[in-house]
Amino acid sequence: MYDVKSRQAAEFIDRQEAAASVAEADRLARDRSAVAAILDKAAEGRGLTHREASVLMAADDPETTASMFDLASRIKQRFYGNRIVLFAPLYLSNHCVNGCVYCPYHRTNSHMPRKKLTQEEIVREVTALQDMGHKRLAVEAGEHPKENPLDYIIESIRTIYGIRHRNGAIRRVNVNIAATTVEDYRRLRDAEIGTYILFQETYDPAAYAQLHPTGPKRDYAWHTEAMDRAMEGGIDDVGLGVLFGLGSWREEFASLLMHAEHLEAVHGVGPHTISVPRVRRADGIDPGDFAHGIDDATFARICACIRLAVPYTGMIISTRESRAVREQVLGLGVSQISGASRTSVGGYAKPEAEEENSRQFDVSDNRTLDEVVHWLMGMGHIPSFCTACYREGRTGDRFMSLCKSGQIQNCCHPNALLTLKEYLEDYASPATRERGEALIAKELAKVESPHVRAIAEKRLSEIAGGKRDFRF
């Protein structure tokens, strides 16, 4: 029985409700007035239910698709402006006890080298990331109680925060590790993580069991209810995601939104971010072996519909996707992307030899961070390295209240310009710096408040003079 406020996974992600949403969507998608009414509601910027968003996904005629795409772009601009936050993943270890059939880290993969970074190696990796200009990392690790205990993860986070190199510093560490207990989530909170991220992979319990034949991750309920425990443990910001390609994508889409609705209903705040990864080629993994792959056009529609359904939530696209795909979805609501990513254990300080391949998946966008920054600015986006909301406590419901009111722009827009200025001064190539200085001048003129503009101009001047580490 579907119950959005239930704490049981089988009830707040009810399979019958997901199937009913798809069936109703097929019927209503043929009703032009019903589709128009949903688009009108989406234009108000207050979000859509999983049933309403499912109707838009089913209404795939060119006219509706064009309206959706245009509206998604406007909604993203309304709440997030033209800022794009940049980050990089850092894989600490590929030791894993699970048997996930879509991941090369599964325990029966006997030919993949198993690696785990020492604290000294973490220092080298993070220093290399700082030399690129990164300020925000997403820490990743396989699930292994002996090799990757929480003590190791927390020690690694402390090491990362403690590294100062030239003008470099990692200001926020987000964490993507296995589902755990409320007490462990409290420990992660006390380690001052940013967002706790956990991909559901699939919301279909039957498919989930087949895809996770062995290991602690096999427990569907424990995994699906992890975000409730994380929020109970005091972590304000959580990030959802489904691995598209593993299950029927229309039901996965509805279920993902049902999960977001559940967090809002129970905890008063929905997910801080939603990621939309697709199954990608990796060591021993062929995307063609999975029956539910989606093409680029469908992927773009999913991104647009998520932006309409949860307008306040950050959307993440990683380097799993190609430059062309990332370029398209940046205009459909995406607000965060990775740059110059390595999905191997290590590989930033020194390229990994092919015979030592420890990549979790193949990267499709191999450009340097400077090339990504240059590209973003060429499309009119502001590359942002800002972490001020975390540093100033604007998380959870405090962030969402500011975002929903539109006031977050007064913080994020000028801070994005300040962190871009830092990047230009410290790391950018001459061509990127020239393009960036022109963009900053153009964007600074858009700041409506004379007081905010004066502060920004003063801080920009101080950054040019060598001052760093403002509260952004």
Side-chain angles (χ1 to χ4, degrees), residues 351-416:
E352 185 180 58
E354 190 58 37
E355 62 271 17
E356 292 295 316
N357 174 24
S358 64
R359 294 188 298 271
Q360 189 184 38
F361 56 85
D362 289 350
V363 170
S364 298
D365 187 344
N366 290 290
R367 290 173 294 170
T368 66
L369 181 60
D370 189 77
E371 289 170 330
V372 170
V373 169
H374 191 88
W375 165 70
L376 287 172
M377 294 190 298
M379 294 186 291
H381 300 294
I382 305 172
S384 174
F385 298 88
C386 181
T387 61
C389 285
Y390 294 113
R391 293 158 69 90
E392 296 295 336
R394 293 190 294 267
T395 57
D397 57 358
R398 295 172 294 285
F399 172 85
M400 287 299 176
S401 64
L402 286 169
C403 190
K404 291 177 182 180
S405 68
Q407 293 303 308
I408 198 70
Q409 293 272 36
N410 294 328
C411 303
C412 294
H413 183 256
N415 282 341

Side-chain angles (χ1 to χ4, degrees), residues 85-104:
V85 171
L86 287 155
F87 73 96
L90 177 61
Y91 284 74
L92 300 180
S93 170
N94 65 351
H95 289 276
C96 194
V97 296
N98 290 311
C100 312
V101 302
Y102 51 84
C103 177

